Amino acid sequence: LVVTGSDEHLWKMWALPDGNILMTGEGHTDWISGCCFRPSGTQLVTSSGDSTVRIWELSRRGCILTLRGHGRAVRDCSWHCSGHLVGSASMDCTSRIWDVGSERCRQTLRGHKDSVNSIEFLPFSSTVLTSSADKTLSLWDSRTVSRLF
């Protein structure tokens, strides 16, 4: 399976190698910049130019949670390997760590001087890697919000 986002405000799930569309998600009001499966495979997280992050329940074929808080477009999203946290990277120069269970932002990572374009949790750790249009990479401890590098 592969999931893609588009300028049409939709995400699509494709079966490979035949290329059939299995599912489509509607709900964002601007382009979709990122899509990532929950480690269990039951949910999907998407990020969008509409400044939101959405969690989709694949069995219900719909959005179950919209996370709001970024001031500008969200460029990327990622699940933590535990499946309980989601990271988002935004053009507002911040990244956020969201607790999916409580539906709240747990941490806001500040320090980049330009758009944060990607976010990734390092496997089996609390370390987060972000990259920015300011031409820097940063490693963060998501528990303490301290910049490691």
Side-chain angles (χ1 to χ4, degrees):
L1 298 176
V2 172
V3 177
T4 60
S6 74
D7 288 342
E8 300 168 327
H9 313 177
L10 302 171
W11 60 264
K12 294 179 183 179
M13 184 184 307
W14 307 78
L16 294 178
D18 59 12
N20 292 333
I21 296 174
L22 302 176
M23 194 179 302
T24 302
E26 295 181 43
H28 282 292
T29 59
D30 208 336
W31 44 269
I32 296 179
S33 54
C35 305
C36 184
F37 285 107
R38 187 175 189 167
S40 66
T42 59
Q43 294 177 331
L44 181 73
V45 62
T46 57
S47 53
S48 172
D50 66 11
S51 303
T52 68
V53 175
R54 290 181 180 246
I55 309 292
W56 306 82
E57 182 68 47
L58 298 176
S59 65
R60 293 189 207 166
R61 297 180 174 255
C63 178
I64 59 167
L65 178 60
T66 302
L67 301 169
R68 292 179 173 86
H70 282 293
R72 294 190 60 202
V74 183
R75 303 279 300 173
D76 193 27
C77 55
S78 176
W79 283 98
H80 184 270
C81 63
S82 69
H84 301 294
L85 302 174
V86 164
S88 59
S90 174
M91 291 177 72
D92 67 7
C93 306
T94 70
S95 295
R96 290 180 180 245
I97 308 299
W98 304 90
D99 184 312
V100 176
S102 69
E103 304 179 5
R104 298 184 192 280
C105 176
R106 179 184 278 186
Q107 306 285 1
T108 301
L109 310 177
R110 292 182 174 89
H112 285 294
K113 295 179 179 14
D114 204 342
S115 173
V116 185
N117 296 330
S118 69
I119 186 165
E120 193 67 42
F121 290 95
L122 274 60
F124 309 107
S125 76
S126 61
T127 305
V128 178
L129 174 67
T130 57
S131 68
S132 171
D134 67 13
K135 300 179 183 176
T136 65
L137 299 173
S138 292
L139 287 173
W140 309 82
D141 184 330
S142 64
R143 295 169 300 181
T144 63
V145 195
S146 57
R147 194 183 236 181
L148 304 172
F149 171 78

